[in-house]
Amino acid sequence: MTSPLFFFLIFLSVVSAVKLPLSPFSHSDQSPKDPYLSLRRLAESSIARAHKLKHGTSIKPDEDALSSTVTASATVVKSPLSAKSYGGYSVSLSFGTPSQTIPFVFDTGSSLVWLPCTSRYLCSGCDFSGLDPTLIPRFIPKNSSSSKIIGCQSPKCQFLYGPNVQCRGCDPNTRNCTVGCPPYILQYGLGSTAGVLITEKLDFPDLTVPDFVVGCSIISTRQPAGIAGFGRGPVSLPSQMNLKRFSHCLVSRRFDDTNVTTDLDLDTGSGHNSGSKTPGLTYTPFRKNPNVSNKAFLEYYYLNLRRIYVGRKHVKIPYKYLAPGTNGDGGSIVDSGSTFTFMERPVFELVAEEFASQMSNYTREKDLEKETGLGPCFNISGKGDVTVPELIFEFKGGAKLELPLSNYFTFVGNTDTVCLTVVSDKTVNPSGGTGPAIILGSFQQQNYLVEYDLENDRFGFAKKKCSP
């Protein structure tokens, strides 16, 4: 029987020009001669990530095929969450029998959980970050007694190919075909990954999830860690575990690549009242996802953003950007996989112009804006006490995300210059935009307790010092 890997390798030879993923696993190669390199990379990867979210496509899997039986004695499972200099946050998960623990990028903007897989895993473009690609943690299926390749005729295979998946070598009149599900390729804006779907046992202390659908990636581009998909899709970790809610508190970026961690809490719901609220949190309901042909939009967490304030000034954002239209354009989502918040160009210009107006007593550093990809940037040297307007997002129900200054401005190079950590495309999309207009990134969520209450379909948050 011809293996799925054989077809996979032939397929890769045809699509060798495919390029993509998130960004480097570390920035240890950063040269002192270019102190803006790290910020520029994060800005570029945030914009590329936004393009992926705004244009991404997926196929909705069969929900009945993805149900798992969770065996648990604990109500809340805690997993350490740590900041990484590539711009994301890392969580470690244990798969297999016996368990193999692998680090993943925590991502609420996608649903598939996939990992670097087999001893032959290749990662093109990972060495420039200073990471030795041969040292990337890998999951080894042959060392696990519970690893199973998903068959082509299995309903779980429909995750990538829909109900009309072509199973070469299978008799359509029988359900006994042993051909594996065809390999997948996923794109992430600046990078990609490819592999095959398997089922595995996912282990936590006091909790086991058997037959968990996970991607076994064999080759990637600029992708030195797997992705833990926490989106709304049926194959996401929350869906497969039937979580009632999950929450996190993202530590400050100053703890990048250190041993400082906080907990990612996964709540199975057996120990709380269904309508209960976490004390101290402010809630706003999630917005209904747009029902459009691009099924990726069904995986996102849409927010009911009503207003944006810069200082005391209400920035008047056209409604078409605040709420998704019938074609799926517009609206706001929250995404842990994006570093800096993204705004569609017309929205960004209104916000940036208001900052520039209220900070007109500081010198604008436009050359620095070109070097870093951020802006507006200001020279604040010699000004004594520096006054910077607040940035506030107001949601349905009156919930206000009043960001601390460090969550939307950053020092660049030295203490004389600061830049707004919100990004956008350099030009206006002539078609009027595609997909979400505003993407709330992880940089703006630092030192906030954030809760995704899936059972009650609401988003909760509160300021909190997340570091120990």
Side-chain angles (χ1 to χ4, degrees), residues 298-325:
L298 297 176
E299 300 185 21
Y300 304 154
Y301 294 96
Y302 277 83
L303 301 174
N304 282 287
L305 180 62
R306 292 293 175 83
R307 298 178 182 87
I308 297 176
Y309 292 90
V310 174
R312 296 183 178 181
K313 179 68 178 293
H314 171 211
V315 181
K316 296 183 179 180
I317 309 298
Y319 183 74
K320 67 178 182 179
Y321 297 113
L322 296 177

Side-chain angles (χ1 to χ4, degrees), residues 50 77 146 157 162-163 165 168 190 200 241 280 299 362 406:
V77 177
S146 49
C157 184
V165 57
R168 296 182 180 181
L190 290 178
E200 251 302 357
M241 292 182 63
E299 300 185 21
Y362 303 109
S406 59

Side-chain angles (χ1 to χ4, degrees), residues 27 43 74 95 107 148 163 178 194 232 242 266 357 391 393 416 419 428 445:
H27 293 292
F95 285 95
D107 183 14
K148 298 177 182 177
T178 58
R232 284 186 174 276
N242 194 29
L266 313 178
S357 175
L391 178 59
F393 296 93
D416 292 337
C419 292
V428 177
Q445 299 175 54

Side-chain angles (χ1 to χ4, degrees), residues 6 18 43 57 80 96 98 122 127 184 187 191 225 333 341 347 357 381 400 405 438 457:
F6 174 79
V18 172
T57 58
L122 298 176
D127 53 352
Y184 61 79
Q187 300 189 5
I333 66 172
T341 288
V347 179
S357 175
S381 62
K400 290 184 178 181
L405 181 59
I438 300 170
D457 209 28

Side-chain angles (χ1 to χ4, degrees), residues 348-360:
F348 175 81
E349 288 179 346
L350 290 170
V351 172
E353 287 170 4
E354 189 56 40
F355 272 107
S357 175
Q358 295 187 34
M359 298 180 69
S360 59

Side-chain angles (χ1 to χ4, degrees), residues 37-58:
L37 177 61
S38 180
L39 284 173
R40 187 166 66 245
R41 284 177 173 170
L42 293 176
E44 290 173 350
S45 65
S46 297
I47 293 172
R49 167 76 175 185
H51 289 173
K52 182 265 178 183
L53 293 173
K54 290 163 69 62
H55 299 90
T57 58
S58 67

Side-chain angles (χ1 to χ4, degrees), residues 403-417:
L403 296 178
L405 181 59
S406 59
N407 281 28
Y408 62 99
F409 265 93
T410 186
F411 286 109
V412 180
N414 53 49
T415 57
D416 292 337
T417 52

Side-chain angles (χ1 to χ4, degrees), residues 228-292:
F230 272 69
R232 284 186 174 276
V235 292
S236 72
L237 187 146
S239 294
Q240 293 197 64
M241 292 182 63
N242 194 29
L243 296 182
K244 304 304 179 185
R245 65 183 80 183
F246 65 91
S247 62
H248 58 70
C249 196
L250 303 182
V251 298
S252 169
R253 306 294 337 179
R254 64 191 177 92
F255 294 113
D256 282 2
D257 301 327
T258 69
N259 293 325
V260 175
T261 65
T262 55
D263 288 329
L264 170 64
D265 290 349
L266 313 178
D267 192 342
T268 60
S270 58
H272 74 266
N273 296 324
S274 61
S276 65
K277 294 183 178 181
T278 300
L281 294 193
T282 299
Y283 287 89
T284 182
F286 283 119
R287 189 181 189 96
K288 185 178 180 181
N289 294 55
N291 186 17
V292 294

